[in-house]
Amino acid sequence: MQRSTGVNPAASRRRVRFAGIDRDAECTERETIFQGARRAGVRVVGACGGRGVCGTCAVRIAAGEVELLDPPGPHARAQLANGWLRACLARPLGDCLVELSPRSLAPVARAEVEGAGGAAVEPAPAVRALTVALPRRRSPRGVADAARLLGALGDPSVARIDLGVLRELPTQLRASGWRAAVCVRGDEVIAVDAPGRRTLGLAVDFGTTNVAGFLLDLTTGVQLASLGIENPQAAYGADLVSRINHAVRAPDGAAELRRAAAGAVGALAHDLCAAASAQPREIVDVAVCGNTAMHHLLLELPVAQLGRAPFVPALEAAADYKAREVGLALAAGAWVHVLPNVGGFVGGDHVAALLATETQWDAGTSIVMDIGTNTEISLVHAGAIATVSCPSGPALEGGHISCGMRAAEGAIERVRIDGGRIEAQTIGGAEPVGLCGSGVLDAVAEMRRTGLLDARGRIQPGHPAVHDAGGRRALALAPEVMFTQEDVRAVQLAKAAVRAGIDLLLGEAGLAERAIDRVLIAGAFGAYIDVQSAIACGLVPALPVERFVQVGNAAGVGVRMALASVALRERARRIAQRCRYIELGSLAGFQQTFLGRIGFD
């Protein structure tokens, strides 16, 4: 039951029970269901971060009463069809039982982990492992445990012991009979354990949508396990601007986002170690790549200046921090290495992708692009690298789409229109519950091919699956999955941003599209798209299909390379320095180029 007005009950907290998942959340008297769910770690899709403008956080009230808040805009509605409400505009008036939408409940099927590229790496990690036996001292004047350990190492360059290690040292040495496995990084002892422990490293590709982790044996360079999960920061918005705004405006926003980021890395460490019969305390080194905003939010660096031109980062160079400073519980003295940013929103993930694919773009003229919420594009020509960041938004990954969702079971990933029949292929073969990125692109391409979209992007009548939805046309891809006129517009804006980036890079270099020898498409979205659909939509240049190479999670490959070898960390640094960052908005003709790519001519 719901009501639009009413006096709040005296109780200051309301218990919200989520049907079907055996989870509860507590809401204060001023919190919405969405805010309470987010604090409790209950996943409710919310592409706009709970601002009331996207309509993806649908819930249904099975029991209890809620107050419906005023929508923020003239086209927003708190109440959706068939009894569904926006969780971000529904405030509990007492204890409630809430039903989540199928799009929120669908299990992740493709948090892209593996990628192509990357040469074989000779292990040369930042951490070296030694096994030492300490002499037993029986003199009247004892020698400090730290001095005995450093003396046993026999290396005068190792001059200090991490404070966390020192706190464990006396107990550890006596428990292991004065024999120890010691991990050294530079001049510092960063871990001491019983002999036989493994020396492990964790590589993390921290994407806006997904976070991929890789557990490596640093001694051999062998990958022991890999895993991808959804970025928990998605609860604060599918796009970077929503998260930056939350970090800047909410009283504890930056800390919330840092905790969410650290929680994701900690969860990966725990699950990967469990898969390899290891413990997180065996992880002594971590390498992380991500776009500039993800990098800043993980380190809890100021992000206000990233939200406005000229988008200046607080830190651009590669850097190293203690894992505990980032909120990670690993080996006592473990370190975290973050790959360098290039500029603006072009971050270490793009540098990692360039590192992994260097052998594929180092000759001829190439485009390297990672299409996503924020699309990074590099043009490599005549030995120079020019790089731009395109604010493409989350539409191409299913965000800000009325029935959009992550790549999970039941997500439509392929669309074909044959006369009056629409064929929708879903991930896992399940009943359709929403539309993911590759399905979005296919839907637009097929609608354009069959004349259901005109050159300006308007949905045309005449097809039995075209319906009127609230005064606007929509195509029914499945009984519960509509692709609306607003969805088409979101795709047009996204593809225009990407294509404008390519056009302006080519223009700066004085090149025509036909001069491009290859286009390397990286990332989760790029791994599953139909290249022909991308060409048909105008997302990428109309080149022969054989010039396109889909390399999957190249950033994941690159960050693993950087974890395994300090020489490759230096290589990544040099690649980042080679990139000439260009701020798109500063280029003459950007607005004209962008508007010229909106249509489907």
Side-chain angles (χ1 to χ4, degrees), residues 4-95:
S4 59
T5 60
V7 178
N8 289 340
S12 62
R13 291 190 176 274
R14 295 92 163 100
R15 180 173 174 266
V16 178
R17 181 81 172 167
F18 294 96
I21 63 171
D22 195 30
R23 293 284 300 278
D24 291 350
E26 273 195 347
C27 292
T28 66
E29 62 180 333
R30 299 198 60 80
E31 280 188 322
T32 64
I33 291 172
F34 183 83
Q35 290 168 326
R38 183 165 64 188
R39 260 194 314 104
V42 176
R43 185 184 189 278
V44 178
V45 173
C48 70
R51 292 182 289 116
V53 296
C54 72
T56 59
C57 60
V59 297
R60 203 149 45 187
I61 310 302
E65 294 185 359
V66 298
E67 176 187 8
L68 299 185
L69 306 179
D70 290 333
H75 301 297
R77 301 184 309 278
Q79 181 139 7
L80 305 172
N82 302 321
W84 292 96
L85 310 172
R86 297 179 192 239
C88 66
L89 296 177
R91 183 183 291 164
L93 294 172
D95 293 350

Side-chain angles (χ1 to χ4, degrees), residues 10 15 87 117 146 163 174 183-184 216 232 266 293 333 457 460 498 506 566 601:
R15 180 173 174 266
L163 181 58
R174 286 160 179 80
C183 291
V184 175
L216 270 63
Q460 301 299 297
V498 173
L506 290 171
V566 291
D601 298 330

Side-chain angles (χ1 to χ4, degrees), residues 304-571:
Q305 76 287 352
L306 285 177
R308 61 179 70 91
F311 314 108
V312 178
L315 174 69
E316 195 168 88
D320 298 271
Y321 303 97
K322 286 290 185 180
R324 58 177 175 263
E325 293 179 312
V326 186
L328 303 179
L330 306 173
W335 285 81
V336 174
H337 175 80
V338 290
L339 270 68
N341 299 314
V342 172
F345 283 96
V346 181
D349 53 349
H350 191 63
V351 174
L354 289 170
L355 176 67
T357 58
E358 185 174 8
T359 57
Q360 296 172 272
W361 54 255
D362 63 350
T365 298
S366 301
I367 291 280
V368 182
M369 60 194 306
D370 186 343
I371 308 171
T373 305
N374 187 68
T375 297
E376 302 90 14
I377 308 173
S378 282
L379 171 66
V380 186
H381 174 67
I385 306 175
T387 305
V388 296
S389 170
C390 309
S392 43
L396 298 177
E397 295 184 311
H400 290 183
I401 298 295
S402 57
C403 290
M405 64 183 292
R406 56 188 173 172
E409 290 186 13
I412 295 174
E413 62 170 341
R414 289 283 178 265
V415 175
R416 292 295 177 265
I417 301 175
D418 184 7
R421 190 174 76 254
I422 295 180
E423 300 175 4
Q425 176 185 323
T426 65
I427 295 174
E431 285 298 310
V433 297
L435 190 65
C436 68
S438 59
V440 167
L441 205 62
D442 263 20
V444 172
E446 283 293 283
M447 292 170 74
R448 183 70 183 127
R449 181 183 66 81
T450 57
L452 288 178
L453 276 184
D454 67 15
R456 295 176 62 184
R458 294 174 298 189
I459 298 178
Q460 301 299 297
H463 191 281
V466 173
H467 303 286
D468 182 85
R472 305 299 296 272
R473 288 179 186 145
L475 178 70
L477 299 175
E480 300 295 325
V481 183
M482 305 291 288
F483 192 65
T484 70
Q485 185 66 67
E486 288 78 9
D487 297 337
V488 175
R489 296 303 184 211
V491 174
Q492 287 182 270
L493 292 173
K495 71 99 175 178
V498 173
R499 196 59 186 278
I502 295 174
D503 290 349
L504 290 168
L505 280 174
L506 290 171
E508 283 284 296
L511 297 173
E513 289 180 356
R514 63 179 179 275
I516 302 172
D517 297 312
R518 68 194 63 80
V519 178
L520 304 178
I521 305 176
F525 173 74
Y528 293 102
I529 64 170
D530 184 321
V531 172
Q532 292 280 23
S533 291
I535 293 172
C537 291
L539 179 66
V540 294
L543 299 169
V545 174
E546 58 269 17
R547 296 193 193 182
F548 292 86
V549 184
Q550 293 164 276
V551 294
N553 187 13
V557 175
V559 75
R560 271 178 285 172
M561 294 167 65
L563 174 66
S565 169
V566 291
L568 289 172
R569 292 184 188 185
E570 173 60 20
R571 184 69 186 160

